[in-house]
Amino acid sequence: MAGVAVACGGLSACGAAAGDTGGRNGGATASASPTKKGPGGLGGRLFDGIWTFFEFNLTVDGKEVHLPDATRPWVEFRDDGTIAGDYGCTPFRMKADLTATTLTLGEDLPPLPPPSATPAPTDETTVCPKPPSREKDDAGRELTDSEAQVRKFFHRGPLRLTEKKLQQEVGGPPPRTLPQLRNEHGDVATLTVVRSPSIFDTAFRLRQWMVGDSSDTVKSTKDTSFTFHRDGTVTGKLGCNDFTAEAVFNGSDVFFRAARLTTHRTCAAQNMQDERSILRILQRSLVYRYSGDSGGIYMMEQVDDYRATGLGFTRATDQ
């Protein structure tokens, strides 16, 4: 999620939700409404959320491991006593005991099946190249090696939960902290959020849309509203009329389908123009890589093309 992390800089955070189905290539996605309360402390911070590796790095055996930019490793701390995710291009699921201060992983479990409705990213062969079949296949070898290191990190015994304090930015707010996982071998991984459970039932406004490296503010932002629900739907307003759509989240990917208006009012010309544009985007069912929490959501289309589109949301109460 390197591109997401960079572009999210303008938002206080950048995520969203779905039903209890599988993730990309068999990983997990948003759980159903939690049936049990998570632990306190850092464990509670991780509970029911999806996370990835901060700056795509972790340390294993005293060496810094740089994960390939194109891959999407992530882990979800589920409310059913498991963790699920993706080593980069290979899904996994394990039994897990998450407390306020520790994460103890158990036996491997079969990965969850992916949502049948989720289309594969158009550049899937580039994102997840096949394992190296010959000596010169550097991309495949890099992926295989990085996945092996992530797998090793999660299979070396109990992990202690600590915090990493980020550097203070000149003139900026107090530095935030991120959760870290450490084991007795000295391996360390700092986590950053893909999707916080706080995005559910929070009203967002569509603030901007992007094409490639350019962005533009939605002129009727204050008349838009998006609320993601745990049942896999999103409802709200597109500038004039109310709408509904399915929001299918698949690990670190999301796409909309069956978007339609549920009212048929007439509004100011600018609002109607924005509404038509937003609806067209939602009805294209593009695959987006996403990141977010209650402060904001950022999505970028998963194609290697200068015309790739994106959407940026901010919390409605912040405007």
Side-chain angles (χ1 to χ4, degrees):
M1 291 187 46
V4 170
V6 172
C8 281
L11 299 177
S12 61
C14 303
D20 190 18
T21 49
R24 186 173 66 85
N25 296 334
T29 184
S31 302
S33 182
T35 56
K36 63 181 180 179
K37 187 177 181 180
L42 285 173
R45 186 175 174 183
L46 296 175
F47 181 73
D48 197 33
I50 295 180
W51 300 77
T52 189
F53 297 102
F54 180 61
E55 295 184 339
F56 272 61
N57 293 326
L58 69 157
T59 299
V60 180
D61 289 331
K63 297 180 180 179
E64 192 168 341
V65 179
H66 300 279
L67 305 176
D69 290 341
T71 63
R72 284 163 284 178
W74 54 271
V75 58
E76 179 184 11
F77 295 84
R78 296 172 61 84
D79 62 0
D80 60 358
T82 67
I83 66 167
D86 202 301
Y87 293 122
C89 285
T90 305
F92 69 86
R93 185 163 65 109
M94 290 178 275
K95 289 186 176 180
D97 181 18
L98 179 64
T99 72
T101 58
T102 61
L103 172 64
T104 304
L105 301 177
E107 63 181 285
D108 287 317
L109 299 170
L112 296 173
S116 58
T118 305
T122 54
D123 60 347
E124 182 76 7
T125 56
T126 301
V127 172
C128 294
K130 295 180 180 179
S133 57
R134 57 183 184 277
E135 189 173 342
K136 294 182 181 180
D137 192 346
D138 294 333
R141 185 175 300 103
E142 182 183 25
L143 171 62
T144 300
D145 291 346
S146 69
E147 286 202 330
Q149 295 303 310
V150 175
R151 185 189 300 269
K152 185 176 185 180
F153 177 82
F154 280 120
H155 286 79
R156 300 188 79 179
L159 292 158
R160 182 165 53 93
L161 275 59
T162 61
E163 285 187 304
K164 175 183 176 64
K165 187 174 183 179
L166 301 184
Q167 290 185 340
Q168 171 76 53
E169 294 183 7
V170 178
R176 62 192 178 103
T177 62
L178 294 176
Q180 279 191 329
L181 300 176
R182 295 174 174 269
N183 62 25
E184 62 181 10
H185 303 282
D187 304 337
V188 183
T190 301
L191 303 181
T192 186
V193 72
V194 173
R195 189 214 70 229
S196 165
S198 62
I199 64 95
F200 295 110
D201 301 319
T202 297
F204 296 94
R205 300 195 195 283
L206 179 60
R207 180 183 178 87
Q208 63 179 160
W209 38 39
M210 291 75 73
V211 177
D213 294 330
S214 64
S215 65
D216 192 17
T217 300
V218 178
K219 295 181 176 61
S220 56
T221 290
K222 291 185 178 180
D223 293 315
T224 65
S225 176
F226 283 70
T227 300
F228 295 91
H229 307 283
R230 281 189 175 271
D231 65 358
T233 61
V234 54
T235 58
K237 187 178 178 182
L238 298 185
C240 179
N241 287 284
D242 300 338
F243 84 102
T244 185
E246 294 179 35
V248 182
F249 284 81
N250 190 12
S252 56
D253 291 335
V254 60
F255 86 107
F256 299 97
R257 68 173 183 174
R260 62 183 178 85
L261 299 178
T262 56
T263 62
H264 300 282
R265 296 184 291 264
T266 299
C267 301
Q270 183 63 62
N271 288 54
M272 298 297 290
Q273 179 179 331
D274 287 346
E275 178 171 276
R276 286 191 294 270
S277 298
I278 298 169
L279 187 61
R280 280 198 299 269
I281 291 174
L282 298 181
Q283 290 178 335
R284 288 175 64 194
S285 295
L286 303 175
V287 176
Y288 294 102
R289 189 174 300 181
Y290 75 97
S291 180
D293 64 11
S294 62
I297 305 172
Y298 178 89
M299 303 175 182
M300 199 68 193
E301 185 183 0
Q302 289 312 286
V303 293
D304 186 15
D305 192 302
Y306 70 93
R307 295 166 297 181
T309 62
L311 301 171
F313 302 83
T314 53
R315 186 169 50 191
T317 55
D318 290 341
Q319 298 182 35

